[in-house]
Amino acid sequence: AGGLYVAKLDETGRQLSHTSLPAEPPITGMAMTSLGLLAWRADQTFALIDVDGATKERLGTEPQQRIIAVATNAKRAVVLLEREGSKRQARWLTLEPKLAWGGWITLDGDLTNAQQIALSPSGKRLAMLAGVSSVGQQKQTPPVFISTMGTVFDIAKAGKVLVTGLVNNAQADVGFADDDHVAFGGFQGLSWVDLKDTTPKAQPITTPASAGSRTEAMLATGGGRAVSPMNGDLVISTPEKTQYLGYDTISPRIAEVGPDGQLLVSVGNELLLLDQSLKMSSLLTPFKAGTTGTIGQVAELHWLGDNDWLFESTTPSDPTMQISLVDAKGFSTQVRKGIKEVQILGYEPSSQLVTLSFGAESEVARYDRKGKKLDRIASVKKASPYEQVMFVPVSAAASHGTQLVQITMREKSTVKWFRDAGALDKPSATVTVEGPFAGADAAGHVFMWRNTPTGQLELVLYADGKPLRTLPNNGAVALWPEPSGKRYVEVAQSSVALYDLDGKQLWYQQIATSQEALWLTDGAIAITSAGGVARLDPATGAVTAARCGWRFSLADKPHPAPPRVEPLCSQLRRSL
């Protein structure tokens, strides 16, 4: 809108104070100097603003002149002005002891389409970017530029052209890393010019545009380096080398409950255990030599208590899935192989029941911790490709004797409760619901969406074959029941809320793009999303920790592009 916000920060980035300047008239550009911020407005005036936001000096252009671009260095500035008759020319602007116009600068070149300028640290050289139109677009008003021409002038030698060349990018910026090195570019890459060469050349930018790149370039130069953003990285470049500063990932590919309130996340090809502050406490490496199975790309995993894990993965030599038991030392034992579909894993510690769901054959097994194996006790093959079977292991103590719940999903859903997990032909209760499955807990409660006579879906809670009550819902939501069977988290498109089993909302938290709500072993709730992970206090919903990236590093190759959503951490900062 043209207003200006000036903030003072300490060395940790914490804001100490700020000042806002109104947009009357609007500010159209700004550049930093050693004497303060130089800003220019739509009424063709300059203002020099100090660190407290106070305006130290003002200066206007002369009649029939318009500001096109400004370049600064420490205590001097050059302004590209459009004069009467649409002629463009560069002029010195003095910053101290007060703002004042200096002499006109002679440059041996056509400045008609000049858009950006940069001043060398010594003030002896000026770099310029000028738009280049294709045939037929030159006569349009305003002209349409399809590429950019970069030129460097020697001010000290009557504006002699030192180098000129096509940058091949209509949206670019220019800056001096030092007196002898100029960088052209921005979001789409960088092109360096070494002015010490006998015949310096401006090389075209050949790096492909980054996904979601902005319409304007962004480039900072100094100290021999050029810095520009690309996707989620800061690109730090010198004429000899380019490096990328950023995170390996923002969104974990897999997140799972771990011991002692920890959260296990899959980051790239590594598995990290995060503590209560969501900081890495240890690295899980299930790749030990001499094991009876090789863990490759992990598709699903589940904690089995103590330091034992159940991994579902592929191997480099076998595209089918395998399931392996992995202990704290990283030694794995293969317990299933040749599985053609990814199975959803479940586990109940009180009965040691492990379930494999949603495959061509869903299975119930008992975990033999000492023998390092899964003993199959029951299974069921789905009757058709359009059917899905899910098993949920249940705590008999919390559910009045129920060990297992089976949900068979087709046009309608059939839910069965079993007191003997090995006798799938003898359910203790059965109900058929015209609607999809929504969730289940270890206490035997099953949440179902049920069609109403008006064609709407209602959320109904069932136990032992009977509907207990209809629960409130906020439209299209996902449910994550508490293992104890007392509460459930409802995840909507832009919010997360906690309810008790009577449907009473206990708290509400505005968090967008959430994917999962995991109940951790210390009672806390972990919210995962494409933009990061947050840990919530189950009593109040307050955020106790948040992380929006792992493995921050300076790398020789770009880090993976982040998802195009607002990071969870910035959402939480804004709400606070």
Side-chain angles (χ1 to χ4, degrees):
L4 183 66
Y5 183 95
V6 181
K8 292 176 76 172
L9 311 177
D10 65 11
E11 66 277 3
T12 66
R14 184 173 50 191
Q15 182 173 293
L16 302 177
S17 64
H18 74 271
T19 304
S20 296
L21 280 69
E24 298 176 357
I27 291 173
T28 58
M30 57 185 178
M32 188 58 70
T33 75
S34 61
L35 302 173
L37 180 70
L38 182 66
W40 49 101
R41 301 178 183 270
D43 64 350
Q44 309 305 309
T45 61
F46 284 96
L48 190 60
I49 301 165
D50 67 15
V51 292
D52 294 314
T55 301
K56 299 164 60 176
E57 295 282 342
R58 293 182 186 272
L59 179 68
T61 60
E62 295 177 352
Q64 296 184 335
Q65 293 181 4
R66 185 169 67 91
I67 302 168
I68 302 299
V70 179
T72 62
N73 73 358
K75 298 181 181 181
R76 300 190 75 182
V78 171
V79 182
L80 182 63
L81 294 165
E82 187 171 79
R83 305 176 69 180
E84 66 276 9
S86 299
K87 181 182 179 181
R88 294 186 179 182
Q89 192 170 354
R91 188 176 186 181
W92 288 107
L93 178 65
T94 302
L95 305 181
E96 64 173 359
K98 64 178 183 177
L99 287 179
W101 288 110
W104 294 96
I105 301 173
T106 300
L107 297 175
D108 186 16
D110 182 8
L111 308 184
T112 303
N113 293 327
Q115 299 170 299
Q116 300 286 340
I117 57 174
L119 185 61
S120 68
S122 67
K124 296 180 179 180
R125 290 168 173 168
L126 187 74
M128 180 187 75
L129 287 175
V132 178
S133 303
S134 66
V135 176
Q137 293 177 319
Q138 301 173 8
K139 298 180 181 179
Q140 296 187 36
T141 305
V144 178
F145 299 129
I146 62 170
S147 59
T148 305
M149 184 70 71
T151 306
V152 181
F153 302 95
D154 193 331
I155 299 176
K157 296 183 179 180
K160 176 186 175 182
V161 174
L162 297 176
V163 61
T164 187
L166 197 63
V167 177
N168 279 353
N169 192 333
Q171 302 295 341
D173 205 347
V174 60
F176 281 87
D178 53 46
D179 257 41
D180 295 319
H181 295 93
V182 180
F184 294 110
F187 288 106
Q188 287 76 29
L190 295 174
S191 171
W192 284 96
V193 179
D194 187 347
L195 300 177
K196 299 193 305 299
D197 288 349
T198 306
T199 56
K201 295 181 181 180
Q203 301 294 331
I205 299 170
T206 56
T207 306
S210 60
S213 61
R214 282 71 163 178
T215 56
E216 294 184 5
M218 188 177 292
L219 178 70
T221 53
R225 295 179 176 85
V227 180
S228 178
M230 185 181 74
N231 292 324
D233 281 337
L234 281 180
V235 182
I236 302 175
S237 179
T238 67
E240 295 79 26
K241 187 176 184 180
T242 296
Q243 292 182 296
Y244 303 85
L245 186 66
Y247 290 99
D248 266 5
T249 186
I250 290 179
S251 175
R253 189 172 58 85
I254 296 175
E256 181 55 53
V257 173
D260 304 320
Q262 297 177 101
L263 180 69
L264 182 72
V265 296
S266 170
V267 177
N269 292 323
E270 293 186 344
L271 296 167
L272 312 178
L273 271 171
L274 308 180
D275 63 15
Q276 287 83 351
S277 300
L278 297 181
K279 295 180 179 178
M280 192 180 97
S281 59
S282 61
L283 183 68
L284 191 64
T285 54
F287 304 100
K288 299 292 185 181
T291 61
T292 61
T294 302
I295 302 295
Q297 183 69 40
V298 177
E300 181 85 3
L301 55 87
H302 209 291
W303 178 54
L304 300 179
D306 293 337
N307 291 302
D308 297 337
W309 296 85
L310 196 63
F311 280 79
E312 187 174 3
S313 64
T314 60
T315 66
S317 59
D318 187 356
T320 62
M321 307 302 299
Q322 64 171 354
I323 297 178
S324 303
L325 292 167
V326 180
D327 62 20
K329 296 181 180 180
F331 289 94
S332 63
T333 302
Q334 189 181 91
V335 294
R336 297 288 186 274
K337 64 180 180 178
I339 303 173
K340 295 181 179 180
E341 307 95 352
V342 175
Q343 302 269 358
I344 302 301
L345 305 177
Y347 176 67
E348 170 51 45
S350 63
S351 62
Q352 303 286 291
L353 287 180
V354 173
T355 58
L356 286 66
S357 303
F358 285 164
E361 183 176 11
S362 296
E363 177 186 344
V364 183
R366 197 174 303 278
Y367 173 42
D368 182 348
R369 191 180 301 275
K370 186 176 181 180
K372 297 294 182 184
K373 60 182 180 176
L374 295 182
D375 296 321
R376 175 181 290 197
I377 60 175
S379 66
V380 59
K381 294 182 179 180
K382 62 182 182 179
S384 79
Y386 307 103
E387 182 177 274
Q388 295 289 354
V389 178
M390 182 174 185
F391 288 125
V392 179
V394 174
S395 167
S399 62
H400 308 292
T402 298
Q403 288 189 336
L404 184 74
V405 173
Q406 176 185 329
I407 306 99
T408 303
M409 292 166 267
R410 285 192 68 171
E411 296 85 357
K412 297 181 180 181
S413 298
T414 301
V415 185
K416 297 179 181 181
W417 287 259
F418 299 93
R419 294 185 180 276
D420 182 355
L424 298 185
D425 58 339
K426 298 177 181 179
S428 60
T430 302
V431 67
T432 298
V433 181
E434 192 172 339
F437 170 72
D441 60 29
H445 297 120
V446 178
F447 300 79
M448 299 293 298
W449 294 106
R450 186 173 66 182
N451 286 320
T452 64
T454 61
Q456 301 295 316
L457 286 176
E458 60 183 3
L459 183 62
V460 183
L461 180 66
Y462 289 84
D464 294 323
K466 299 177 182 179
L468 299 183
R469 63 188 62 88
T470 301
L471 300 172
N473 67 87
N474 187 24
V477 297
L479 301 184
W480 301 90
E482 183 181 18
S484 65
K486 296 179 179 179
R487 299 171 294 183
Y488 64 95
V489 174
E490 191 173 278
V491 176
Q493 184 176 1
S494 59
S495 64
V496 175
L498 182 68
Y499 293 82
D500 64 19
L501 291 191
D502 290 325
K504 179 183 177 182
Q505 187 181 93
L506 304 178
W507 49 257
Y508 172 93
Q509 179 70 264
Q510 190 169 347
I511 302 176
T513 67
S514 298
Q515 296 169 337
E516 293 182 287
L518 302 176
W519 289 87
L520 303 179
T521 53
D522 62 354
I525 300 170
I527 302 296
T528 69
S529 78
V533 177
R535 184 182 168 96
L536 307 186
D537 181 345
T540 63
V543 178
T544 59
R547 283 291 299 273
C548 293
W550 287 269
R551 293 181 19 155
F552 187 74
S553 65
L554 185 63
D556 292 332
K557 295 181 179 180
H559 296 88
R564 296 183 65 182
V565 298
E566 181 182 11
L568 180 63
C569 300
S570 64
Q571 291 183 48
L572 298 173
R573 281 195 213 94
R574 189 178 65 248
S575 64
L576 295 174

